[in-house]
């Protein structure tokens, strides 16, 4: 569950929707990634993503991750090109 987070559901995707914990294991780390940041063409600030798990019979430590915005960090994607119109532009437009 993404709770108390700045990141929206469109900023990341779940790679696993459920995880099976091994029997009689006190500490468990998944072998495969659980979430993935989604690549977009939107310039955003870095966002905090808090993940909370609900599991019967286990204590799950909440995880805090920061999604670094790849678009903003790529200089080629933060340039704007402005081409003025051929005709003159009136003031205040």
């Amino acid at each position: 569950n993404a709770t108390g987070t700045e990141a929206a559901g469109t900023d990341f995707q779940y790679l696993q929707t459920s995880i099976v914990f091994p029997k009689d294991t006190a500490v468990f780390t998944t072998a495969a990634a659980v979430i993935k940041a989604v690549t977009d063409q939107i310039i955003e600030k870095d966002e905090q993503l808090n993940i909370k798990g609900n599991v019967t019979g286990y204590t799950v430590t909440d995880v805090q991750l920061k999604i670094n915005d790849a678009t903003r960090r790529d200089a080629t994607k933060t340039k704007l090109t402005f081409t003025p119109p051929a005709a003159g532009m009136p003031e205040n437009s």
Side-chain angles (χ1 to χ4, degrees):
N1 299 323
T3 59
T5 180
E6 297 173 318
T10 55
D11 293 323
F12 68 96
Q13 71 183 57
Y14 292 103
L15 299 176
Q16 299 181 50
T17 55
S18 66
I19 300 169
V20 177
F21 286 68
K23 184 177 178 182
D24 300 323
T25 303
V27 176
F28 174 67
T29 302
T30 62
V34 177
I35 64 166
K36 172 184 167 185
V38 175
T39 302
D40 59 23
Q41 297 297 318
I42 302 169
I43 299 172
E44 302 175 277
K45 68 181 184 81
D46 295 340
E47 298 169 321
Q48 187 74 28
L49 174 63
N50 301 324
I51 298 178
K52 178 181 174 116
N54 297 312
V55 181
T56 303
Y58 284 88
T59 300
V60 178
T61 303
D62 295 351
V63 178
Q64 295 181 346
L65 307 167
K66 183 171 279 196
I67 296 176
N68 295 325
D69 185 59
T71 306
R72 188 186 82 241
R73 295 170 187 273
D74 184 342
T76 62
K77 294 181 180 173
T78 58
K79 294 180 181 177
L80 298 176
T81 302
F82 176 76
T83 305
M89 293 175 55
E91 290 187 39
N92 297 322
S93 65

